[in-house]
Amino acid sequence: MKRFLLVGKTGVGKSSFVNASFGVELARCNRYEACTKLAETYSHGTEYGPLCLIDTPGLADDCRETDFKYLKIIREFIAENPIDTALFLSRLDDTRFRAEDKETLRLITEQLGSSIWRNAWLVFTFCAEVEMSKLNEAANARICEIEDYLRRVRGNASFTGFNKYILIDNVKVGWHPNASVITEALCEES
C-alpha cells in the first residue's frame, strides 16, 4: 500500500484532499479554522487499490513556534512510519508565491531534511477557481517558482524537481474536461 504524506500551509485543502481522494468524509474539515493538530493516517481501499494518506497540521497559520511544534510531530511520525511519497499541496488560486509559501518550504526542508523532496509530488488545489484559459500558465509559473526556490533553499542544488504534478479541485466535480479521479492518479505508478 502506497503511503503519501500531505504537507503544506494551513488552508490549502490537505484534509479535503483526503476526503476527495476516498470519496467519503474521513478527515474533519472546517473552512474557517484549522482542524488537524497531529499526523493522522487514513487507510482505505479504492477501486484503484489500497491507499494510505497521512494528513498533517498546516503550517504558516499561527507563529514559528507552532510551525516548529507541528514539524516535530511530523518528523517523529515519519521516523516511525516510513512514507513512499511526500505530496506538497499548494493553492493554485493564490495570486502570488508569497513569503509564507517560501518560509513553509524552507522550514519543511530544514526540519524534515532535503530528502523529503526526493520522491515528492506537487499538488495544486482549488484549480476550479482559476480561469480555464489561464490554468496552464498559472500552473507552469507556480511550478517554476516553487522548484527554483527549493533548489536555492539551504543549497539544495541536487533537487531536480517534483516527480509528478497534479491539478485538482477538492470540491468541484467535473471542473475540467480532462479531470481524472484523484485516487487513480495516486495509485498509478509514478
Side-chain angles (χ1 to χ4, degrees):
M1 175 182 326
K2 290 185 180 183
R3 298 175 52 82
F4 294 93
L5 178 74
L6 283 60
V7 292
K9 289 186 334 186
T10 191
V12 298
K14 293 181 301 299
S15 297
S16 295
F17 181 85
V18 169
N19 295 338
S21 295
F22 294 127
V24 62
E25 195 164 321
L26 298 172
R28 196 172 132 232
C29 299
N30 187 311
R31 184 177 180 167
Y32 304 105
E33 65 182 55
C35 294
T36 309
K37 304 291 184 199
L38 300 170
E40 298 180 28
T41 302
Y42 298 94
S43 298
H44 202 58
T46 73
E47 64 181 288
Y48 303 100
L51 187 60
C52 177
L53 300 177
I54 301 141
D55 195 8
T56 63
L59 303 172
D61 184 37
D62 193 12
C63 63
R64 285 179 58 100
E65 289 77 25
T66 303
D67 286 346
F68 285 123
K69 177 181 133 189
Y70 287 158
L71 286 162
K72 181 179 181 208
I73 289 168
I74 296 167
R75 186 175 55 249
E76 290 172 352
F77 180 89
I78 61 178
E80 294 178 21
N81 306 279
I83 62 165
D84 296 303
T85 304
L87 303 181
F88 180 74
L89 281 73
S90 181
R91 290 180 67 132
L92 190 59
D93 66 335
D94 281 348
T95 58
R96 289 183 176 76
F97 185 51
R98 301 181 188 283
E100 62 199 26
D101 298 301
K102 294 174 185 174
E103 178 69 358
T104 297
L105 289 166
R106 188 186 67 72
L107 285 175
I108 290 170
T109 305
E110 181 181 276
Q111 297 296 310
L112 302 182
S114 59
S115 63
I116 195 74
W117 306 119
R118 195 170 294 134
N119 187 32
W121 298 1
L122 177 57
V123 178
F124 287 119
T125 57
F126 293 89
C127 291
E129 302 303 316
V130 177
E131 227 178 281
M132 191 66 67
S133 64
K134 299 189 187 273
L135 191 63
N136 287 336
E137 177 186 346
N140 289 332
R142 291 294 297 284
I143 288 168
C144 287
E145 291 172 327
I146 292 169
E147 289 185 340
D148 287 347
Y149 185 76
L150 277 173
R151 284 184 191 95
R152 291 192 313 265
V153 169
R154 296 180 58 97
N156 195 9
S158 63
F159 176 71
T160 58
F162 290 96
N163 287 359
K164 193 177 224 178
Y165 310 94
I166 301 175
L167 279 67
I168 62 157
D169 196 278
N170 293 348
V171 178
K172 296 182 182 175
V173 177
W175 65 276
H176 190 280
N178 298 327
S180 63
V181 178
I182 296 170
T183 48
E184 181 179 13
L186 293 173
C187 290
E188 68 187 22
E189 290 304 310
S190 55

